[in-house]
Each structure stands twice: as structure tokens, then as C-alpha cells.
Amino acid sequence: WDTHSNMSDLKVAIKAAQEVCASNPRVKDILDVAITLVDEVKIKAHPCYLQLGINPKTPDSFSCDICKEQNGADERFYCDAHNIDICQPCVEAALLEAQIEAFEDEENGGVPMIKCFPGGEPTDYDDDGPVQAGTLPTEGVEALKSVSFDTASSVTFQNNTAAPVEIWWVNYEGNLQSYGIVEPGMTSLQNTYATHPWVVKNTDGDVLYVFVAVEQPSQAIITG
């Protein structure tokens, strides 16, 4: 169960089972525990959230995973699921640049929450902000292929359109290999290698973008 929608579907199914088994206290208690577990997994797995405080896995002073500067032990946000530590200035900058988002979680009484960086791995930053994946013309995709596998990297695809898109890796033979659908407003982290081309298509099969992975972890913004 690795998507937020699947978690919601599972929770609905458990609640339906609770109604059917209402006359059996033992089964009902078991299902109550299951609901609690679903809520915990939803928070800790996908999507995950940044927490303000001391990461129990790194209780001493830490190095921010974005700016790499050493910070005091109590001046951090952390994601327990991915064991990353981020200083408060970098979190505030990421919020301003829409790399992460905060919202009120209605299921937890409207408590403000901050989504973790896509895939739990912050995009690298340079002097001009987050590192962007390279781009190529959308024509001539059939001539592309992956060649080198010397430098491991990653690309976080961010769908800022109102429609789902599909992500395709151009493999070593020049064939397109699907890596799934990215729903509107969602992101998808793909591990890859520098210089590998990635194609973004709409649901009609039209090529919208051709991105190229760079040496640093980067982001690929998909707009309408």
C-alpha cells in the first residue's frame, strides 16, 4: 500500500468490516487497531511529513541535508521514514519556492503539517535554487537512447498540470519503458544515471517534455 489513495481505500474497507462485525467485540477491537495502524503508516510512509524536533536517529548536532551546514540539535525538521535532517531556514526557503507544502490535516484536528521532500530525498540546490533536469526538443525522441551509467543520480518529476502524465525512461536500446503515472499535483522520484533521457507524455500519448538527468539529484517541473 504505497499510495495515499490506496491507504484511503484500505481504511474505507476496514470501516465497512467494522459495521458488519459490530456484534463481535473481539473482531471490532482488532479492526480498531487496524485503523490506527493505517493512520500511522499513512503518516510515516507515503506521503511522509517533516517533523520539528530532534531526530531520534541522529540526536546530536546534525548536518542539514540541503545546505550541508552543521546546526544545533534542536534547530531541525526531520523525516523519520527517510532519516533526513533539514534546518529551519532551508525548510522555510523550500516552502516559499513550493518545493514542499504545508496544509491543515483535517483528520488530525486541523494540525498544520509539512510534506516531506518528494521521495524523501531533497533536490540539490545551487546559487539559483533547486537544480533542474536538462531538457531536449520533443521532436526526435526515436533517436534517443541511454548510454552511460557512470554517475548515479535521480530526477523528481513534479506534475503541476491539471491532468495525469506518464513518465517513460528511454532505455539502452532506444525503447520507451514506462515508469508509471503521476497524478496532478503529485511527484515521482526516479533513480537514474546522468545523461539518461526521460520522456513525459499525456494520456493521449503526446510527448510533452524530454528531460535529461544531470549529475546532481534534480527536479523536472511539468507545467501546462
Side-chain angles (χ1 to χ4, degrees), residues 13 15 23 37 44 51 56 62 113-114 124 132 138 158 166 169 173 186 199 221:
K15 286 185 174 180
S23 60
L37 290 174
K44 293 182 179 179
Q51 304 173 63
F62 72 103
M113 304 190 75
I114 301 174
D124 274 6
Q132 303 296 317
T138 55
Q158 181 172 322
E166 189 165 6
W169 171 55
E173 287 73 42
M186 301 300 289
V199 175
I221 305 297

Side-chain angles (χ1 to χ4, degrees), residues 51-65:
Q51 304 173 63
L52 177 61
I54 298 176
N55 186 343
K57 297 178 182 177
T58 54
D60 300 323
S61 61
F62 72 103
S63 175
C64 173
D65 284 311

Side-chain angles (χ1 to χ4, degrees), residues 136-201:
L136 291 173
T138 55
E139 300 83 8
V141 170
E142 62 279 358
L144 299 175
K145 66 178 179 179
S146 294
V147 179
S148 171
F149 49 88
D150 296 329
T151 306
S153 187
S154 66
V155 178
T156 297
F157 296 90
Q158 181 172 322
N159 184 4
N160 287 348
T161 73
V165 297
E166 189 165 6
I167 307 300
W168 302 78
W169 171 55
V170 184
N171 67 20
Y172 297 102
E173 287 73 42
N175 299 320
L176 296 184
Q177 183 173 329
S178 177
Y179 273 72
I181 300 292
V182 183
E183 298 294 337
M186 301 300 289
T187 59
S188 175
L189 172 70
Q190 300 297 338
N191 293 313
T192 185
Y193 292 91
T195 73
H196 283 205
W198 290 78
V199 175
V200 178
K201 294 184 178 183

Side-chain angles (χ1 to χ4, degrees), residues 40-127:
E40 289 182 356
V41 169
K42 188 178 71 174
I43 295 299
K44 293 182 179 179
H46 183 89
C48 56
Y49 299 90
L50 297 174
Q51 304 173 63
L52 177 61
I54 298 176
N55 186 343
K57 297 178 182 177
T58 54
D60 300 323
S61 61
F62 72 103
S63 175
C64 173
D65 284 311
I66 292 181
C67 68
K68 311 303 180 185
E69 293 185 4
Q70 294 290 327
N71 293 272
D74 58 347
E75 300 172 351
R76 76 176 78 181
F77 286 80
Y78 72 95
C79 173
D80 184 65
H82 295 98
N83 193 26
I84 58 174
D85 293 291
I86 306 168
C87 68
Q88 186 166 342
C90 283
V91 169
E92 292 174 350
L95 285 167
L96 288 174
E97 295 169 6
Q99 302 308 306
I100 54 178
E101 63 176 300
F103 66 99
E104 292 187 357
D105 187 358
E106 296 180 358
E107 293 186 5
N108 288 312
V111 176
M113 304 190 75
I114 301 174
K115 281 189 177 181
C116 181
F117 283 82
E121 181 177 346
T123 300
D124 274 6
Y125 279 60
D126 58 21
D127 292 340

Side-chain angles (χ1 to χ4, degrees), residues 20-39:
V20 174
C21 301
S23 60
N24 189 325
R26 185 175 180 183
V27 174
K28 185 177 182 301
D29 288 344
I30 293 173
L31 293 172
D32 286 342
V33 173
I35 284 287
T36 301
L37 290 174
V38 168
D39 286 338

